[in-house]
Amino acid sequence: MSAEEQHPPDDVQQHLRMVQELLARQRLGEDLANRQEMNRQGLGEGPLHREHLGEMQDLLEGMHPADIAFVLEALPLEDRLFVWNLVKAERDGEILLEVSDAVRESLIETMEPEELKAAAESLDADELADLAPNLPPEVIQDVYQSLDPEGREQLRAAMSYPEDTVGALMDFDMVTVREDVTLEVVLRYLRRFEELPDHTDKLFVVDRDEHLRGILTLENLLIHDPEMEVAEVMGTEPVISFIPEDDASEAAQAFERYDLVSAPVVDSEKRVIGRLTVADVVDYIREEGEQEILSNAGLREEEDIFASVWDSVKNRWAWLAINLVTAVFASRVIGLFEGSIEKLVALAALMPIIAGIGGNSGNQTVTMIVRAIAMGQIEPSALKRLLRKEVGVALFNGVVWGGFLGLMAWWLYGNWQLGVVMTSAMTLNLLLAASAGVIIPMVRSRMGKDPALGGSVMITALTDSGGFFIFLGLATIFLL
């Protein structure tokens, strides 16, 4: 029984384990050979080595490019390059599109210009545009010259649109039909294709000048009389279409709202120039989600988990430096109240609670606001309304949970005044966290910046310093 039969193609974790097992066996064979003082040339020609290579190549050949990409991302650099060299050259382009940007760079660095050119030439124009930023300029120029005029125009168009627009996501592989032909003609036309473009659930109906006239779903094509004309059976409802300059996030929301599988992309004169598919949208949503998580933690870009120490340091140092400054500032805030802490040691035990809960509450708020901004659910004018709402939530939580902590402090230390200070400090710090959680992402969004970037770091810094100052300040005033 073959590996493909034993393990379903979608069991990517199983494929990863199989690759890791084969790599381990390969290393074990090398170790045994080294003990026997065999030279590397002799090892490379040994039957055991060839058997392992054959098993690995058979396994990779039966895997989807996305699964191979997952495996490559999960392997250390040395193993990753070993497996990459076993992949068939004609699949290089597809796999390079699937891997993360950081891993893609590590693979491209090992490839010769001719290999890169061959990989790029195997891709469609829209796919090539995605890969182009990572390729050497001379490779892109060679590939561009090898394209036909239509391909050159498509590549030029795909690369001209800014990131996060529909134009940067659309593809050019689609099927258009005329409205004045019969369904039988359309069916004969479709039979000339070896396969339809992926995610084809509808055909775009155009006139002689490629202007969009409507859509013909495959369902209508199949269930109506073949002698009927396209114009008679194509949908009468308004067609959901996009222009290349449309925001990609808004297009993603439209796909979700209307359960779209594909949609036409038209120019300013309503001529069909491409299409957007659910696969493009899902990829965009996933990448945006990953970027938001990284930004919220203060990471500048996606990082290869097996990257060199120096590469990881460069990616992380900026916000760590900011965090260091804020931590020093928080320590100086505590230093201002050293005398108070010496007189009432309970303050040292209780103040982390104020800062910790404030930071958690602030991060909840900033996460909700960033998500709403990304979904296009709030406008800058909603700042005051959102601020009132979050302040109300913080006030309620502060009174309830701050009151609980106040009672706990009273019970532990037998000091009711300390309990009142605890409740007041908790409430004030939650109000500070709520205000910052709304204002920081809203202001960054209004300035055209990423609202998620460093949000968690800034909120934590503010609630730590603010929480310490509020709690120790109130304690100094009312307890000492």
Side-chain angles (χ1 to χ4, degrees):
M1 183 179 292
S2 68
E4 183 75 7
E5 293 169 332
Q6 293 175 6
H7 304 283
D10 59 347
D11 192 355
V12 63
Q13 290 290 346
Q14 182 66 20
H15 284 146
L16 174 59
R17 287 191 290 271
M18 293 173 68
V19 169
Q20 290 171 329
E21 180 184 343
L22 288 170
L23 288 170
R25 287 160 55 189
Q26 178 73 13
R27 283 191 293 269
L28 180 60
E30 291 179 359
D31 290 342
L32 291 173
N34 288 334
R35 292 194 190 100
Q36 296 170 0
E37 298 182 350
M38 293 178 61
N39 59 51
R40 293 190 64 82
Q41 182 178 359
L43 173 65
E45 295 175 353
L48 187 60
H49 177 80
R50 288 195 298 271
E51 179 184 346
H52 291 161
L53 288 184
E55 288 184 52
M56 185 82 74
Q57 287 172 327
D58 289 343
L59 176 61
L60 294 172
E61 188 174 352
M63 291 171 60
H64 189 278
D67 290 350
I68 297 177
F70 176 86
V71 169
L72 292 172
E73 291 173 355
L75 294 176
L77 183 59
E78 183 179 354
D79 290 342
R80 177 187 301 160
L81 298 181
F82 180 83
V83 173
W84 176 240
N85 289 329
L86 296 179
V87 173
K88 287 189 174 181
E90 60 265 24
R91 307 185 72 191
D92 284 354
E94 294 177 288
I95 297 169
L96 287 173
L97 283 175
E98 296 287 348
V99 294
S100 66
D101 290 344
V103 172
R104 184 184 300 155
E105 290 179 10
S106 70
L107 300 178
I108 288 178
E109 286 174 358
T110 68
M111 300 176 69
E112 297 294 331
E114 287 303 316
E115 293 179 296
L116 290 172
K117 181 182 176 183
E121 288 177 340
S122 68
L123 303 175
D124 296 330
D126 56 294
E127 297 172 328
L128 182 55
D130 292 336
L131 191 60
N134 300 107
L135 298 177
E138 59 273 15
V139 171
I140 288 295
Q141 185 61 31
D142 287 346
V143 173
Y144 180 80
Q145 294 298 332
S146 68
L147 297 174
D148 57 34
E150 182 182 7
R152 292 181 187 178
E153 181 58 34
Q154 290 177 348
L155 177 59
R156 190 162 47 241
M159 295 181 66
S160 67
Y161 298 113
E163 262 187 273
D164 300 330
T165 63
V166 168
L169 300 181
M170 71 176 180
D171 68 61
F172 303 97
D173 196 10
M174 58 187 173
V175 180
T176 60
V177 295
R178 296 269 298 281
E179 61 183 331
D180 55 353
V181 300
T182 65
L183 299 184
E184 176 61 33
V185 171
V186 174
L187 289 168
R188 287 203 306 268
Y189 171 61
L190 294 181
R191 293 189 191 104
R192 294 167 54 189
F193 289 82
E194 292 184 5
E195 59 181 5
L196 292 177
D198 290 338
H199 304 97
T200 297
D201 66 319
K202 59 179 70 78
L203 312 180
F204 304 143
V205 182
V206 298
D207 61 17
R208 293 179 181 274
D209 297 317
E210 298 298 320
H211 295 110
L212 181 64
R213 304 292 296 172
I215 59 171
L216 173 64
T217 65
L218 295 186
E219 179 183 7
N220 282 340
L221 174 63
L222 295 174
I223 66 176
H224 285 91
D225 187 341
E227 298 303 318
M228 298 179 68
E229 290 191 351
V230 170
E232 297 179 75
V233 298
M234 70 180 187
T236 57
E237 66 277 1
V239 178
I240 298 173
S241 63
F242 304 96
I243 60 173
E245 294 77 17
D246 281 340
D247 186 86
S249 61
E250 294 179 1
Q253 292 168 33
F255 265 70
E256 179 185 14
R257 186 179 306 118
Y258 303 115
D259 295 327
L260 300 176
V261 175
S262 66
V265 180
V266 299
D267 62 15
S268 58
E269 298 181 4
K270 292 293 183 181
R271 283 192 296 260
V272 179
I273 58 174
R275 68 172 185 147
L276 195 60
T277 70
V278 67
D280 303 320
V281 170
V282 168
D283 286 343
Y284 172 78
I285 292 173
R286 176 182 56 81
E287 291 170 4
E288 285 295 294
E290 292 173 353
Q291 186 59 46
E292 183 176 322
I293 293 172
L294 295 172
S295 296
N296 200 38
L299 294 174
R300 295 185 301 161
E301 58 187 21
E302 187 177 13
E303 182 180 307
D304 178 2
I305 196 66
F306 296 107
S308 68
V309 171
W310 178 240
D311 287 341
S312 295
V313 167
K314 288 190 296 182
N315 189 33
R316 304 181 195 183
W317 76 269
W319 281 98
L320 287 179
I322 294 173
N323 204 16
L324 175 62
V325 173
T326 59
V328 170
F329 181 77
S331 72
R332 297 317 305 150
V333 170
I334 297 173
L336 294 175
F337 299 95
E338 286 179 354
S340 301
I341 296 173
E342 288 176 358
K343 294 177 183 178
L344 189 58
V345 179
L347 300 179
L350 295 174
M351 64 182 184
I353 300 176
I354 302 293
I357 294 182
N360 185 54
S361 176
N363 280 318
Q364 288 177 340
T365 301
V366 78
T367 299
M368 293 297 295
I369 298 299
V370 168
R371 178 185 178 277
I373 292 173
M375 296 292 291
Q377 295 174 339
I378 55 177
E379 298 293 333
S381 59
L383 175 60
K384 291 183 179 179
R385 180 182 300 175
L386 291 171
L387 196 55
R388 284 195 300 269
K389 181 251 185 178
E390 291 300 325
V391 164
V393 173
L395 186 61
F396 178 85
N397 284 330
V399 171
V400 173
W401 297 110
F404 172 78
L405 289 173
L407 291 173
M408 184 183 72
W410 183 9
W411 176 68
L412 289 174
Y413 299 101
N415 187 333
W416 68 269
Q417 295 99 327
L418 179 60
V420 173
V421 167
M422 190 74 175
T423 300
S424 302
M426 175 66 74
T427 302
L428 291 174
N429 200 31
L430 287 180
L431 290 172
L432 174 64
S435 302
V438 173
I439 292 173
I440 289 174
M442 291 286 286
V443 169
R444 287 187 62 84
S445 178
R446 185 175 296 180
M447 295 171 60
K449 306 292 185 180
D450 182 358
L453 183 59
S456 177
V457 177
M458 289 187 281
I459 289 291
T460 301
L462 190 60
T463 53
D464 281 355
S465 301
F468 294 150
F469 183 80
I470 293 169
F471 178 57
L472 295 175
L474 290 176
T476 301
I477 295 172
F478 295 107
L479 299 179
L480 302 173

